[in-house]
């Protein structure tokens, strides 16, 4: 088996799983309880929170635990809209966001908010000049992901953040789900940051929203004491502890791991560009962990399942996207409908082996030859 869907989710690190199991068995008291077991559990959560805060250079009281990036994105977007709607009802985003960003934004549009989509440059990055033009007195939120989950496009988040400093009534939300644990990430000049542990070898079911302390949010879950007033519910101590461990381990030797992934990406790019019907949609300066390609004339689901039969696992679009025939993100960048209708995502890790790469190229060649011949016959 060769796994090439790390951007959808990663296998859990055994040390992270051990931390989860150990804390589940030893610290089963409710962190909200006043007795000794509850106090011990609360202290452990505080230690994990300090570790996450130190890893990302943020403050402990800026960390809100959620069930994952989808909830974090919803809390950030809906929370800002509800709290600051008296300032304005205008939101700016891009055509490259995750469905858990579009979902709450579309919900807000139905509530009377207005959304503008900033133009993209040829490489898929945000046109800063167009962003300046779109900013208005009633703009309360700009939501732009750090890395697009389908193409791996890295946005100039720091530049955008500095620009938005000139608009103190507008908050900047960044979905960092595809960046944290893969590449050095700065939280400076950003107001709200979302990410999820299962993207960097942690467990599913635990996410984080970093909310800078000057900002208030209207919660989307009410009732019940927790680690903060912004998200009710009994704190999931084992998941929180495991997330802190996963982040610490992911950040170890980060530059070395990144370099390894770059080399694997370069190998696949060099190999795939030899095929006449293959189009590489990810730009060369995209995050190397993501390589989006199209095999013209071949439906992405057909190629995915053909590779699956050979125990090669890739993805079409984002794992959380609705099943549309056309990739909105690929079309937004390539402006090519054929590319958008036939794209697949190959996602890599430092764990990807040379043997797996060789398995992939062998299986891909076989699938390509068979499927393109079938297309020619039609």
């Amino acid at each position: 088996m060769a796994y090439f869907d790390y951007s959808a989710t990663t296998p859990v690190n055994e040390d992270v799983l051990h931390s989860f199991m150990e804390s589940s068995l030893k610290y089963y008291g409710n962190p909200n309880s006043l007795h000794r077991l509850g106090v011990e559990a609360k202290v452990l959560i505080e230690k994990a929170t300090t570790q996450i805060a130190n890893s990302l250079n943020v403050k402990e009281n800026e960390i809100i635990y959620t069930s994952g990036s989808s909830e974090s994105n919803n809390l950030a977007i809906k929370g800002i809209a509800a709290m600051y709607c008296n300032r304005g009802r205008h939101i700016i985003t891009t055509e490259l966001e995750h469905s858990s960003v579009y979902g709450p934004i579309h919900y807000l549009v139905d509530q009377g908010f207005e959304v503008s989509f900033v133009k993209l440059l040829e490489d898929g990055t945000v046109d800063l000049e167009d962003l300046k033009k779109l900013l208005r007195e009633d703009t309360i939120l700009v939501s732009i992901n750090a890395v697009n989950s389908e193409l791996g496009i890295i946005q100039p988040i720091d530049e955008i953040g500095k620009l938005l400093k000139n608009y103190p009534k507008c908050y900047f939300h960044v979905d960092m789900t595809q960046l944290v644990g893969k590449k050095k990430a700065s939280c400076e000049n950003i107001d709200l940051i979302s990410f999820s542990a299962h993207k960097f070898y942690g467990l599913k079911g635990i996410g984080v929203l970093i909310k800078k302390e000057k900002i208030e949010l209207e919660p989307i879950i009410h009732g019940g004491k927790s680690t903060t007033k912004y998200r009710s519910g009994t704190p999931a101590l084992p998941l929180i502890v495991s997330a802190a461990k996963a982040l610490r381990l992911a950040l170890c030797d980060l530059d070395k791991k990144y370099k390894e992934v770059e080399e694997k990406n370069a190998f696949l790019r060099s190999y795939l560009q030899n095929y006449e019907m293959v189009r590489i949609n990810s730009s060369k300066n995209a995050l190397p962990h993501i390589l989006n390609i199209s095999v013209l004339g071949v439906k992405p689901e057909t190629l995915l399942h053909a590779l699956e039969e050979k125990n090669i696992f890739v993805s079409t679009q984002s794992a959380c996207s609705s099943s549309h025939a056309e990739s909105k993100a690929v079309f937004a960048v390539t402006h090519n409908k054929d590319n958008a209708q036939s794209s697949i995502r190959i996602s890599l890790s430092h764990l990807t082996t040379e043997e797996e790469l060789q398995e992939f190229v062998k299986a891909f060649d076989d699938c390509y030859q068979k499927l393109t011949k079938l297309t020619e016959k039609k």
Side-chain angles (χ1 to χ4, degrees):
M1 185 190 83
Y3 186 68
F4 290 90
D5 200 17
Y6 286 93
S7 291
T9 194
T10 57
V12 64
N13 183 299
E14 288 188 12
D15 288 339
V16 172
L17 185 58
H18 177 74
S19 292
F20 174 84
M21 293 172 62
E22 185 177 43
S23 57
S24 295
L25 294 170
K26 291 185 179 180
Y27 297 90
Y28 48 84
N30 188 323
N32 294 329
S33 298
L34 298 179
H35 53 63
R36 178 167 53 83
L37 294 180
V39 172
E40 289 174 351
K42 185 177 180 180
V43 168
L44 190 60
I45 286 180
E46 289 172 348
K47 287 181 179 178
T49 302
T50 299
Q51 190 177 103
I52 293 172
N54 290 340
S55 295
L56 298 174
N57 196 27
V58 298
K59 298 176 181 178
E60 288 94 332
N61 65 356
E62 295 178 336
I63 293 173
I64 304 168
Y65 294 110
T66 68
S67 61
S69 290
S70 290
E71 184 187 336
S72 294
N73 287 337
N74 271 262
L75 176 54
I77 295 167
K78 292 178 181 176
I80 287 289
M83 187 59 64
Y84 298 104
C85 59
N86 61 316
R87 293 184 181 179
R89 288 174 169 259
H90 182 231
I91 297 170
I92 299 173
T93 189
T94 78
E95 297 280 1
L96 299 177
E97 304 305 309
H98 189 266
S99 57
S100 62
V101 167
Y102 291 136
I105 287 178
H106 289 157
Y107 164 82
L108 290 172
V109 169
D110 290 339
Q111 307 303 311
F113 284 77
E114 182 184 352
V115 58
S116 296
F117 292 88
V118 63
K119 292 177 182 176
L120 303 174
L121 299 176
E122 192 175 343
D123 62 358
T125 58
V126 166
D127 184 334
L128 295 176
E129 290 303 314
D130 187 57
L131 178 57
K132 287 180 187 177
K133 292 176 185 176
L134 291 177
L135 285 162
R136 308 185 324 210
E137 199 57 38
D138 63 338
T139 306
I140 59 169
L141 181 68
V142 172
S143 183
I144 296 175
N145 59 26
V147 173
N148 171 260
S149 61
E150 286 188 58
L151 294 130
I153 294 166
I154 303 172
Q155 295 295 347
I157 293 303
D158 194 47
E159 292 177 58
I160 296 170
K162 288 176 180 175
L163 168 63
L164 294 178
K165 288 294 182 185
N166 298 315
Y167 300 83
K169 292 182 180 180
C170 177
Y171 295 110
F172 186 27
H173 167 241
V174 177
D175 180 355
M176 280 197 180
T177 305
Q178 294 293 348
L179 185 69
V180 173
K182 297 175 183 176
K183 183 178 171 64
K184 287 180 180 177
S186 171
C187 298
E188 194 177 359
N189 301 320
I190 306 172
D191 298 305
L192 302 126
I193 297 163
S194 308
F195 64 90
S196 188
H198 77 97
K199 300 292 188 178
F200 48 85
Y201 315 97
L203 289 159
K204 298 171 183 67
I206 180 67
V208 171
L209 174 63
I210 296 171
K211 178 201 68 65
K212 297 300 174 69
E213 59 183 349
K214 65 178 181 178
I215 300 168
E216 288 296 317
L217 293 176
E218 176 64 34
I220 55 177
I221 300 175
H222 298 86
K225 192 178 178 183
S226 190
T227 57
T228 76
K229 66 180 182 180
Y230 301 103
R231 203 272 193 179
S232 299
T234 303
L237 181 148
L239 285 172
I240 291 170
V241 170
S242 70
K245 183 70 167 285
L247 182 60
R248 182 173 65 80
L249 293 176
L251 296 178
C252 287
D253 299 320
L254 192 62
D255 291 339
K256 179 176 177 289
K257 293 172 186 172
Y258 193 87
K259 181 68 175 175
E260 290 174 4
V261 176
E262 278 186 319
E263 292 171 356
K264 291 162 187 174
N265 182 292
F267 168 79
L268 285 181
R269 280 178 180 272
S270 177
Y271 169 78
L272 291 167
Q273 68 184 8
N274 294 317
Y275 289 88
E276 182 183 357
M277 302 304 290
V278 169
R279 301 292 180 270
I280 297 178
N281 300 316
S282 296
S283 62
K284 290 186 178 179
N285 62 347
L287 191 80
H289 301 70
I290 296 173
L291 182 60
N292 188 295
I293 69 167
S294 296
V295 180
L296 300 183
V298 178
K299 291 182 179 179
E301 294 82 2
T302 302
L303 179 55
L304 180 149
H305 291 305
L307 289 168
E308 183 185 13
E309 288 179 4
K310 299 178 181 297
N311 277 324
I312 306 292
F313 298 90
V314 298
S315 178
T316 62
Q317 299 188 44
S318 169
C320 298
S321 295
S322 301
S323 55
H324 296 301
E326 182 179 300
S327 166
K328 180 179 178 181
V330 173
F331 184 76
V333 174
T334 66
H335 307 291
N336 186 304
K337 198 163 187 177
D338 291 335
N339 286 7
Q341 290 179 338
S342 57
S343 66
I344 66 166
R345 180 185 67 184
I346 305 160
S347 46
L348 302 162
S349 162
H350 65 282
L351 298 178
T352 305
T353 66
E354 291 300 322
E355 290 76 18
E356 287 174 326
L357 290 172
Q358 292 303 324
E359 282 183 57
F360 174 86
V361 298
K362 182 179 179 182
F364 180 86
D365 183 73
D366 185 52
C367 294
Y368 175 90
Q369 302 301 340
K370 290 178 181 177
L371 295 175
T372 52
K373 282 180 181 176
L374 288 173
T375 302
E376 289 172 2
K377 290 178 181 178
K378 290 181 180 179

